[in-house]
Amino acid sequence: MLIFGGWTIVAAGVLVLLVAAIRNRKEKVCAGYEISLAGGDGQWFMNKKEVVEILSNNGSVSLKGRALERFDLRKMEDKLQKNVWIRDAELFFDNNQVLQVKITEREPIARIFTAGGNSFYIDSSCAKLPLSDKVSARLPVFTGFPSDKERFAKSDSLLVQHIKQVSLFIQHDPFWMAQIAQTDILPDKRFEMMPMVGSHVIEFGDGSDYEKKFGRLLQFYKLVLSKTGMDIYDRLNVQFDRQVVCIRKGTYVARIDSAQAARTIQSLATSAQRAMSDSAARQPTSGQGMLTSVNTSPAKSPTTEKPPISVANVSKRTNNSPKTPPVKGRSYENSKSAKKNNVAKPAAGKRQAKAVMPKRA
């Protein structure tokens, strides 16, 4: 009986405290609100005024001075998260009855242009985001996306994942962010990249093995184009493992300023190293990702290519290598410039690799 009586007293005490807490809550009112934004990397697509407008139904409901019991925080969080730019929202009252509003924005990672001319962003979860009239984000640009539908089709899901992977790699590497002007999506969903420096086209293939492909391309820039010039080749194909296949620009080529080409690549590399000191650690270290050969072939018959969509925030490609008229009546292989660069003359009617790099041990 003594034990039962003790538990009865405890239960009665808890009940009294609970009733007092409820009554105290009814008497308390919101003392104000504090809003914090995160996840925008310094570029906010929403502002605090817009958050307040959502919470107050465009000013029709007052927040400050309102009884705490009239706040449905879960419902308010759901309302905020319906906004396309809000990834997560957390609301709670602190000990001073101040409403704390924690907003995490979505972060766009790529800007995409469709074949129909429309444009949108995607974030790291591959969600579509509209363009903003407040901020124009500097992001990798992809053109020629095959669909204008509001939702991505299942057939495009792999393509969107490849765009995400390639875009994040470019975005986090200052060298490629400076060099890749835009990426065109071909009808078969392969990528072709347009560089800022040089007039060649980079045939990248799909987004698989993107780190190895960028590793091979970087080696080719350093070991070949830094000596021959940025405009000797029309196309660079990095789709194939351990090699870069190149197509030269016709029979005649302009004289090469190899010193200028070396300075151009060194300038890009220096700026990249300065901005990201650990960029070297992100290059492939496995022998499978390294370049072992370079295959070059004469220019093929021109193929039909869709022109890249002009983008306001993407600079036009520039050519830092000085151009001089081609030497008439003399092929590149027979010119003094070719001898200087140790380019062997191929046998008639037979394609030969112009540069072969030794295989890694």
Side-chain angles (χ1 to χ4, degrees):
M1 290 295 294
L2 183 60
I3 295 176
F4 178 76
W7 278 110
T8 302
I9 294 174
V10 171
V14 171
L15 181 61
V16 170
L17 291 174
L18 181 60
V19 171
I22 294 174
R23 185 175 300 173
N24 188 36
R25 180 175 176 81
K26 289 182 179 180
E27 295 174 354
K28 288 184 177 181
V29 297
C30 177
Y33 53 82
E34 293 182 358
I35 299 172
S36 62
L37 300 174
D41 195 22
Q43 293 183 328
W44 308 114
F45 292 87
M46 291 195 68
N47 54 45
K48 296 180 179 181
K49 181 180 177 181
E50 291 173 318
V51 174
V52 174
E53 288 176 351
I54 295 174
L55 294 175
S56 64
N57 293 330
N58 294 321
S60 62
V61 176
S62 177
L63 298 177
K64 187 176 181 179
R66 189 182 184 191
L68 298 188
E69 65 175 355
R70 298 181 60 189
F71 284 85
D72 187 341
L73 298 184
R74 178 59 62 85
K75 185 176 180 180
M76 295 169 73
E77 289 176 350
D78 293 340
K79 190 174 183 180
L80 284 170
Q81 289 176 176
K82 288 181 180 179
N83 185 284
V84 67
W85 284 107
I86 297 178
R87 188 180 70 188
D88 185 57
E90 182 182 2
L91 279 69
F92 61 91
F93 284 101
D94 62 17
N95 294 332
N96 297 319
Q97 288 75 56
V98 176
L99 178 62
Q100 298 291 333
V101 183
K102 308 292 185 181
I103 300 294
T104 303
E105 274 196 351
R106 293 186 181 274
E107 296 184 51
I109 61 170
R111 183 170 181 179
I112 298 176
F113 288 81
T114 68
N118 296 317
S119 182
F120 56 89
Y121 298 122
I122 62 169
D123 70 352
S124 57
S125 64
C126 295
K128 268 189 177 182
L129 302 174
L131 301 185
S132 172
D133 56 358
K134 302 182 186 69
V135 178
S136 179
R138 183 175 180 270
L139 298 168
V141 173
F142 294 77
T143 68
F145 191 81
S147 175
D148 284 294
K149 294 181 179 179
E150 184 176 353
R151 295 180 178 273
F152 293 128
K154 290 184 178 180
S155 58
D156 294 327
S157 59
L158 181 59
L159 172 60
V160 175
Q161 285 292 329
H162 284 173
I163 291 174
K164 168 188 170 181
Q165 294 168 352
V166 172
S167 182
L168 285 174
F169 185 92
I170 294 174
Q171 188 178 1
H172 293 112
D173 190 311
F175 180 88
W176 295 119
M177 193 65 184
Q179 173 65 350
I180 303 300
Q182 69 182 49
T183 301
D184 293 338
I185 304 171
L186 303 181
D188 59 1
K189 300 181 179 179
R190 291 181 296 110
F191 296 150
E192 282 190 351
M193 297 179 179
M194 309 300 164
M196 292 288 289
V197 179
S199 58
H200 51 271
V201 175
I202 302 166
E203 297 182 12
F204 198 80
D206 60 21
S208 62
D209 295 327
Y210 58 94
E211 290 182 326
K212 295 179 180 179
K213 292 176 182 178
F214 276 115
R216 292 195 290 273
L217 184 59
L218 182 61
Q219 287 188 73
F220 186 82
Y221 273 21
K222 290 181 177 180
L223 302 179
V224 180
L225 294 189
S226 63
K227 298 178 177 65
T228 65
M230 298 295 288
D231 299 305
I232 184 173
Y233 295 111
D234 184 58
R235 306 182 77 82
L236 306 180
N237 191 328
V238 297
Q239 299 180 68
F240 307 105
D241 190 29
R242 299 193 177 198
Q243 59 183 331
V244 176
V245 179
C246 312
I247 299 177
R248 289 179 50 194
K249 289 184 176 181
T251 305
Y252 301 104
V253 297
R255 293 188 180 92
I256 298 165
D257 187 345
S258 59
Q260 177 62 36
R263 286 194 297 268
T264 299
I265 294 178
Q266 183 61 40
S267 176
L268 287 171
T270 301
S271 63
Q273 291 173 356
R274 191 180 298 119
M276 185 179 290
S277 59
D278 63 342
S279 60
R282 301 175 63 249
Q283 298 300 328
T285 56
S286 171
Q288 295 180 351
M290 307 307 287
L291 176 66
T292 58
S293 65
V294 178
N295 297 332
T296 62
S297 59
K300 298 180 180 179
S301 58
T303 57
T304 303
E305 297 178 13
K306 61 181 180 61
I309 299 175
S310 60
V311 183
N313 66 333
V314 176
S315 304
K316 293 183 179 180
R317 287 180 289 142
T318 59
N319 180 15
N320 291 336
S321 301
K323 293 183 178 180
T324 56
V327 181
K328 296 183 179 180
R330 298 176 63 189
S331 67
Y332 178 79
E333 288 77 10
N334 291 333
S335 66
K336 295 181 179 179
S337 177
K339 295 178 180 179
K340 183 178 179 180
N341 289 279
N342 297 322
V343 180
K345 181 178 179 180
K350 182 179 180 181
R351 294 181 180 178
Q352 286 188 348
K354 299 300 184 297
V356 178
M357 299 171 57
K359 295 186 178 180
R360 292 175 59 88

